[in-house]
Amino acid sequence: MKALCVFSGGLDSMLAAALLQNAGVEVQALFFETPFFGPARAERSAAVMGLPFKAVDITERHLAVVKQPRHGYGGHMNPCIDCHALMFRIAGEMLAAEGAAFVASGEVLGQRPMSQNRQALRIVEAESGLAGLLLRPLSAKLLPITTPEAEGWIDRGRLEGIQGRSRKPQMALA
């Protein structure tokens, strides 16, 4: 079983990828490049973890979302919900070509009050077109069961139930 892991190269995406690997899932690190974010850190982190890495430039589609975000801006012109939905939609479009069955993310329930609350996570999943196929390994035990869990592609017991803004649970897991 293979997953595309939307991968920033930060602690949360690295832990999400590691949880999947430890559960026997083949992980492809997938970074979305924009004028605001380059792939250097993600590429280094993927190399350290031995993950195959792919950077995809989504500038044109991303700028369209930034100019007119359906869900508005967060603090300091940060349309997180719309941008996350776009990234996951693009990852979903890539599933077949990459031979993957689902998409994973390092998102943590409640870590970002406006874009990672339960309602925002549901909106992102719905608007990405990945209903049931978007797994958030770090908070999975606190969220509805996904298709990978229901189908036995991954054991829910190997996933986490992290929530909130504190990084202590992630540091302990690392």
Side-chain angles (χ1 to χ4, degrees), residues 51-62:
L51 294 174
F53 177 80
K54 180 175 256 184
V56 178
D57 187 334
I58 63 167
T59 297
E60 190 173 318
R61 289 173 78 177
H62 184 257

Side-chain angles (χ1 to χ4, degrees), residues 1 95 101-103 125 129-136 140 143-156 159:
M1 188 59 48
L95 284 172
F102 64 98
V103 175
E125 182 174 352
L130 287 172
L133 294 177
L134 178 52
L135 178 64
R136 296 165 169 114
L143 299 169
I145 292 177
T146 61
T147 300
E149 296 163 280
E151 294 294 324
W153 304 341
I154 189 164
D155 177 3
R156 188 173 177 93
L159 304 175

Side-chain angles (χ1 to χ4, degrees), residues 34-37 62-69 71-83 114:
T34 72
F36 307 102
F37 302 103
H62 184 257
L63 288 178
V65 166
V66 170
K67 288 176 185 174
Q68 289 192 310
H71 296 283
Y73 295 112
H76 305 95
M77 192 177 160
N78 182 9
C80 292
I81 293 172
D82 299 280
C83 291
M114 299 304 290

